[in-house]
Amino acid sequence: MRNKVLDGPSCLVLDVSLPGVDGLELQRELADGGVLIPIIFITGHGDIPMTVKAIKSGAVEFLTKPFVDQDLLNAIEQAFDRDRITRHEQGELSELRKRYDSLTARERQ
């Protein structure tokens, strides 16, 4: 399955405790589905194991409430930067696939 990339630079700001779903579980489901989107977690009840799990799974930041607004803005900027890099790399990879697909069997050898 190819990774899915949204149209514009994006990020997702998630609370760890969402009604009906765990934010960390949603992060895993998105990754399993090939959805590439930087995630910033916020929580009022975080702990070190939860933070480590989120970051190891690719979260950009894990903020504990109350947090400074500028910290969230900085995390969003970092997430957008990460997303731009991912989009650039995906574009280059897509171009290489197109070039490879256009080769004859002999040229591929």
Side-chain angles (χ1 to χ4, degrees), residues 66-83:
F67 52 84
V68 177
D69 291 345
Q70 190 60 48
D71 290 342
L72 178 58
L73 293 173
N74 291 343
I76 290 170
E77 184 176 329
Q78 181 183 358
F80 283 167
D81 289 344
R82 183 184 289 186
D83 196 46

Side-chain angles (χ1 to χ4, degrees), residues 12-95:
L12 186 58
V13 178
L14 281 180
D15 196 310
V16 173
S17 302
L18 298 169
V21 67
D22 176 81
L24 296 172
E25 178 66 20
L26 178 58
Q27 178 188 34
R28 187 189 62 73
E29 289 176 16
L30 289 170
D32 289 350
V35 177
L36 299 176
I37 185 168
I39 298 175
I40 300 163
F41 280 104
I42 58 173
T43 186
H45 307 287
D47 57 26
I48 292 173
M50 184 185 300
T51 304
V52 169
K53 182 177 180 181
I55 298 297
K56 280 189 172 184
S57 296
V60 173
E61 185 64 82
F62 194 96
L63 300 172
T64 303
K65 298 175 191 174
F67 52 84
V68 177
D69 291 345
Q70 190 60 48
D71 290 342
L72 178 58
L73 293 173
N74 291 343
I76 290 170
E77 184 176 329
Q78 181 183 358
F80 283 167
D81 289 344
R82 183 184 289 186
D83 196 46
R84 281 186 201 97
I85 291 167
T86 298
R87 289 169 186 283
H88 179 73
E89 290 171 352
Q90 289 293 323
E92 287 181 346
L93 185 57
S94 177
E95 183 60 34

